[in-house]
Amino acid sequence: MRRIRRAKILATLGPASNEEKQIEELAKAGADVFRINMSHASHELMHQTVARIRSVEKRLNHPIGILADLQGPKLRVWKFAEGSVNLVAGQKFTLDSDKNDIGNSERVYLPHPEIIESVSVGDRLLLDDGKLQLKATKVGGGVIETEVVYGGKLSDKKGVSLPDTLLPTGALTEKDHADLLEALKAEVDWIALSFVQRPEDIIDVRKIVQGRAGVMAKIEKPQAIERLEEIVKLSDAIMVARGDLGVELPLETVPGLQKRMIRMCRRYGKPVVVATQMLESMITAPVPTRAEVSDVSIAVFEGADAVMLSAESASGQYPVEAVATMNKVAVAVESDANYRGIIRAAQTEPEATAADAISAATRQVAETLDLAAIVTYTASGSTGIRAARERPAKPIIVLSPNQRTIRRLSVVWGVHCVQTEDAVSLEDMVDRACVIAYQEGFARPGDRIAITAGIPLGTPGATNMLRIAFVRQDGAGSS
């Protein structure tokens, strides 16, 4: 199960891909991490799906990451007498707190007092994924009076987005809290937090998670963009959730924001996932559009850690083909003559720590001496992420005694993870690194590899050593 590409693939599981046989096919086609969308999965289904993924992981003898994606606060209007109404530009329309009265062409119940209390005059309200736009003209007394800017058909329980309004509620609803605890019980590797607005949202979740899983912030609101750097620093990873981002912000700004987020994450050494509509047409077609192929390739050229499939693999007609297509695109991009130059152009200066300096030096040494691979020992995973942040031209093999660390790193660019016991001595460390590089197909007898680790051995966060070793005829090492 050695991948020949560096960018990782996340595949969402759903009705089209929940069975164990299908999960195995997706993993063989190239899926490195599986996403369980808690908007649609019950706790029972989540536990069942996790068990199936772990069964496939054992059979393939290859670490697989699991991401539980929390629903977040879903804001919706209530129902209409006729099931829908038609709103016309320029007309008045009211959203109020009267739940006893069914909606009509002049008003509708909004079951979210926090919106009614927070909206200010002039704020925009986007309905049904931004297809309709209202502008608040008067607020107060449990009522938002609006004028319709862009009209259209509005039906029962359609979503409400508030690009201009900071809501006082956190990103974690009661449902999310229950789902989060259940996901931690199931030992998932990543928790994705939807509709993050402020750094405090991440802090609240971290208090509950307590290091048992990585926390991935989904960036899909303008309020999060305003405090992006703080959110990136506090998160373990970032998802560029382009769907809602493109609803709440002008569509034309999303590609630039994607670039900005990828570069910022690279600077801070945080994995970044690009998501939403990457191969959307493959929900119903066996081949993607040229524009979709271009979209995936841009994310790979920019150095994103991972690209994600949503409905394409969850409910589409061609889930395995979608993963295989994404895999082929990533492989082609990474073999392109321009790829290394583009990746190198976005190189950032290492932070002023021994571990970062060692990682930067290792990349340079490996490329200058044309070494076969870079092998890093890590307990927490941070050394593997630092090595990946350098985007070396040489393969990265991450060795860790901790299975959870290895699974969590499955979302990180370019790392090939192997679970192994901690080395007991420097000689054992060199031997073990050489044997694994040989067994995993990265190095042949006579090749040299770079090894980074922390001395004393087994001390988390103490990477302070770089060693160059020869792979001997028997696959063991000598330095």
Side-chain angles (χ1 to χ4, degrees), residues 79-114:
K79 297 179 181 178
F80 296 93
E82 304 292 322
S84 67
V85 294
N86 204 54
L87 301 184
V88 182
Q91 79 165 81
K92 304 296 179 195
F93 188 72
T94 302
L95 300 104
D96 59 40
S97 46
D98 184 1
K99 61 182 172 187
N100 299 315
D101 211 355
I102 199 84
N104 54 43
S105 60
E106 294 177 0
R107 60 155 297 280
V108 71
Y109 168 50
L110 185 64
H112 302 287
E114 68 275 19

Side-chain angles (χ1 to χ4, degrees), residues 77 80 84-95 103-108 125-128 131-135 146-155 158:
V77 297
F80 296 93
S84 67
V85 294
N86 204 54
L87 301 184
V88 182
Q91 79 165 81
K92 304 296 179 195
F93 188 72
T94 302
L95 300 104
N104 54 43
S105 60
E106 294 177 0
R107 60 155 297 280
V108 71
L125 293 89
L126 307 178
L127 309 175
D128 191 8
K131 294 186 184 80
L132 294 90
Q133 183 176 316
L134 314 178
K135 188 175 182 181
T146 74
E147 183 183 325
V148 178
V149 180
Y150 298 120
K153 182 183 173 184
L154 178 62
S155 47
K158 286 299 179 187

Side-chain angles (χ1 to χ4, degrees), residues 30-335:
D32 301 289
V33 182
F34 288 111
R35 170 178 173 253
I36 300 171
N37 188 349
M38 298 310 294
S39 298
H40 307 299
S42 65
H43 291 175
E44 185 186 356
L45 180 60
M46 181 199 61
H47 281 288
Q48 205 175 51
T49 307
V50 168
R52 287 170 180 167
I53 295 167
R54 293 299 178 225
S55 173
V56 168
E57 176 185 62
K58 195 172 181 182
R59 197 155 52 249
L60 297 179
N61 192 27
H62 180 77
I64 296 173
I66 301 177
L67 169 81
D69 194 335
L70 303 180
Q71 178 177 289
K74 285 286 183 188
L75 309 173
R76 301 182 187 281
V77 297
W78 202 235
K79 297 179 181 178
F80 296 93
E82 304 292 322
S84 67
V85 294
N86 204 54
L87 301 184
V88 182
Q91 79 165 81
K92 304 296 179 195
F93 188 72
T94 302
L95 300 104
D96 59 40
S97 46
D98 184 1
K99 61 182 172 187
N100 299 315
D101 211 355
I102 199 84
N104 54 43
S105 60
E106 294 177 0
R107 60 155 297 280
V108 71
Y109 168 50
L110 185 64
H112 302 287
E114 68 275 19
I115 296 183
I116 293 171
E117 289 162 16
S118 304
V119 168
S120 304
V121 171
D123 283 3
R124 288 169 297 156
L125 293 89
L126 307 178
L127 309 175
D128 191 8
D129 285 341
K131 294 186 184 80
L132 294 90
Q133 183 176 316
L134 314 178
K135 188 175 182 181
T137 54
K138 187 179 177 184
V139 291
V143 172
I144 305 171
E145 290 181 19
T146 74
E147 183 183 325
V148 178
V149 180
Y150 298 120
K153 182 183 173 184
L154 178 62
S155 47
D156 295 349
K157 294 192 173 182
K158 286 299 179 187
V160 182
S161 299
L162 301 150
D164 306 325
T165 311
L166 182 67
L167 295 176
T169 51
L172 211 59
T173 64
E174 273 183 44
K175 171 182 161 49
D176 292 334
H177 193 269
D179 289 348
L180 171 56
L181 295 177
E182 207 62 34
L184 292 172
K185 203 183 288 181
E187 297 191 354
V188 305
D189 308 295
W190 287 93
I191 299 290
L193 186 61
S194 298
F195 302 111
V196 171
Q197 293 190 98
R198 47 175 98 73
E200 291 78 10
D201 294 337
I202 305 296
I203 294 166
D204 292 345
V205 173
R206 291 196 86 94
K207 283 176 187 168
I208 301 165
V209 173
Q210 294 184 335
R212 288 174 285 172
V215 177
M216 185 181 289
K218 291 170 70 176
I219 307 298
E220 48 197 335
K221 291 189 75 64
Q223 292 82 1
I225 297 293
E226 286 166 21
R227 303 185 69 182
L228 185 61
E229 199 157 355
E230 295 168 80
I231 290 168
V232 168
K233 285 179 180 176
L234 283 167
S235 306
D236 296 309
I238 292 294
M239 185 189 290
V240 186
R242 304 180 305 178
D244 280 285
L245 201 57
V247 171
E248 301 215 5
L249 283 161
L251 274 172
E252 64 275 12
T253 65
V254 174
L257 287 170
Q258 176 178 313
K259 249 187 179 59
R260 182 178 152 202
M261 283 187 253
I262 291 172
R263 291 194 175 186
M264 188 179 287
C265 288
R266 177 113 174 253
R267 188 163 79 242
Y268 288 110
K270 301 295 171 86
V272 56
V273 179
V274 177
T276 322
Q277 293 181 325
M278 299 212 83
L279 296 175
E280 184 86 352
S281 68
M282 288 193 77
I283 295 170
T284 54
V287 290
T289 66
R290 310 314 183 252
E292 287 166 343
V293 170
S294 183
D295 180 41
V296 173
S297 67
I298 286 167
V300 177
F301 268 124
E302 286 173 355
D305 288 81
V307 282
M308 191 177 104
L309 295 166
S310 300
E312 301 97 327
S313 58
S315 56
Q317 294 171 30
Y318 303 96
V320 176
E321 290 84 347
V323 172
T325 297
M326 205 164 238
N327 180 65
K328 280 190 286 188
V329 173
V331 169
V333 167
E334 292 175 14
S335 330

Side-chain angles (χ1 to χ4, degrees), residues 431-445:
D431 272 351
R432 197 180 290 259
C434 289
V435 166
I436 290 171
Y438 173 68
Q439 287 174 342
E440 297 288 318
F442 289 93
R444 293 170 301 188

